[in-house]
Amino acid sequence: QAKRAAVHGVVLYQAGMMDRRADDAALGRDLEEAVESGQLRVLYQPMIDLESGQPLGAEALVRWHHPVRGIVGPLDFIPVAERTGAITGVGLFVLEQACRDVQAWPDHLYVSVNLSPRQLQDRTLVPDVLGVLRRTGLSPSRLVLEITESAIVDDRIAVPALETLRSKGIRIAIDDFGTGYSSLQYLSRLPVDVLKIDHSFVAELDGTRQGSAITEAVIRLAEILGLTTVAEGIERPAQADELRALGCQAGQGFLYAKPQPAADVTRFVGALLR
Ligand code: C2E
Ligand code: MG
Ligand code: MG
Ligand code: MG
């Protein structure tokens, strides 16, 4: 009886694996086409100076308007794009779109673009990024690239690439900081400017020392290393108040604005700047 169940379990497991591979491949092919046919849309979530309440820039967040599946969020297709390699085309599309869209906003605002691990291991990353800046005419000072700690799979490729990009004036942010591993060991060696405090830590801010322990440690660490901090996923005024009191410079979250089309950001920042 147990043996039959085990056998059955194995069969089910293998079938699941094949389904996933087939589904991945189909989605990967669809994605290549999605880039060509304009099914990808880039939304922007404003980032706010916690002290002044003024806008600083916005993060580019991609959405896939799939003809059959409807609107697909990045968590449902970026990992697949990573596995199939479609991420190269998707990533370049988002970067170029973001570099164009930011130019409709006031000059002092930047755009922050997510880079996936695979892009960071790609030897054409530096010429690709510099090529987009040249084509769009965007000043490198208006571009921030967000990477995750786990994206530094091979330091020998990623670190020199980041150093080169940074030497051109592009800023580098570590996204979801504190959720990866060996973050502290990496941090002193990495060419970075910004630490983004993951929403999971922001969610724990409840006015207690316990709740703010990690956030406070990250902000102190950033101060010592001369980095700025951006908190993500701010949903309540009390969280913003606590982050400000702890010395966090910037934040983003539903409290301020949801991810929205570039034209809506133009209106949003216009109202705040007025
Ligand atoms: P992320 O870079 O950490 O982006 C923040 C995510 O939190 C976004 O989800 C955003 O919509 C969401 N968020 C914003 N404010 C709040 C809030 O107040 N509360 C909560 N609970 N969530 C909030 P989204 O747009 O679904 O993106 C998910 C992830 O997908 C991103 O996480 C990023 O890692 C990845 N991603 C998005 N766009 C791209 C892209 O163009 N390229 C790559 N490589 N990854 C992308
Ligand atoms: Mg991000
Ligand atoms: Mg993040
Ligand atoms: Mg996050």
Side-chain angles (χ1 to χ4, degrees):
Q1 182 77 349
K3 193 177 169 195
R4 215 163 68 203
V7 168
H8 192 60
V10 167
V11 169
L12 271 180
Y13 179 69
Q14 284 176 340
M17 291 287 284
M18 278 165 67
D19 279 356
R20 180 173 122 166
R21 268 208 302 277
D23 204 45
D24 265 25
L27 213 63
R29 275 193 305 276
D30 283 4
L31 255 176
E32 308 271 0
E33 221 179 277
V35 179
E36 305 297 317
S37 59
Q39 292 169 18
L40 297 185
R41 306 281 163 75
V42 186
L43 299 183
Y44 300 89
Q45 184 173 43
M47 297 155 100
I48 306 293
D49 182 318
L50 292 178
E51 198 61 57
S52 67
Q54 290 293 299
L56 296 169
E59 176 175 5
L61 295 160
V62 69
R63 303 286 182 266
W64 181 5
H65 291 242
H66 192 284
V68 179
R69 298 175 203 231
I71 300 179
V72 186
L75 295 176
D76 291 323
F77 71 89
I78 294 287
V80 181
E82 274 271 318
R83 289 197 289 272
T84 66
I87 190 65
T88 308
V90 171
L92 265 179
F93 169 81
V94 174
L95 181 66
E96 181 146 353
Q97 186 69 50
C99 288
R100 291 191 195 287
D101 286 341
V102 65
Q103 299 189 59
W105 305 337
D107 280 347
H108 66 284
L109 299 187
Y110 58 79
V111 70
S112 202
V113 179
N114 293 285
L115 283 191
S116 76
R118 187 146 168 172
Q119 286 177 280
L120 216 57
Q121 296 306 126
D122 189 340
R123 293 194 182 271
T124 67
L125 177 69
V126 171
D128 281 351
V129 172
L130 298 181
V132 168
L133 288 180
R134 206 175 320 109
R135 274 203 296 287
T136 59
L138 184 73
S139 162
S141 64
R142 298 188 69 186
L143 179 63
V144 179
L145 295 176
E146 301 191 6
I147 63 168
T148 54
E149 299 154 75
S150 53
I152 319 283
V153 180
D154 188 340
D155 302 35
R156 290 164 305 174
I157 301 171
V159 174
L162 293 174
E163 273 164 356
T164 305
L165 293 170
R166 201 156 166 261
S167 73
K168 307 287 182 191
I170 296 166
R171 277 167 289 173
I172 309 294
I174 302 203
D175 205 356
D176 306 334
F177 186 73
T179 62
Y181 71 102
S182 65
S183 41
L184 299 183
Q185 191 198 350
Y186 272 132
L187 200 58
S188 56
R189 287 190 286 129
L190 282 183
V192 294
D193 305 278
V194 181
L195 294 186
K196 294 194 72 174
I197 301 170
D198 192 60
H199 64 88
S200 58
F201 303 121
V202 173
E204 279 174 30
L205 297 176
D206 55 4
T208 68
R209 287 287 330 251
Q210 191 76 12
S212 64
I214 293 171
T215 298
E216 187 171 358
V218 171
I219 294 167
R220 293 290 93 79
L221 181 67
E223 275 171 10
I224 293 164
L225 296 175
L227 310 175
T228 57
T229 41
V230 178
E232 60 178 28
I234 303 177
E235 295 181 350
R236 299 190 306 272
Q239 293 170 331
D241 292 343
E242 197 168 344
L243 286 159
R244 196 181 305 111
L246 290 170
C248 180
Q249 282 102 349
Q252 60 187 110
F254 299 155
L255 174 66
Y256 303 104
K258 297 207 155 141
Q260 52 196 276
D264 293 358
V265 175
T266 305
R267 279 189 287 278
F268 177 85
V269 301
L272 281 180
L273 289 168
R274 207 169 302 126

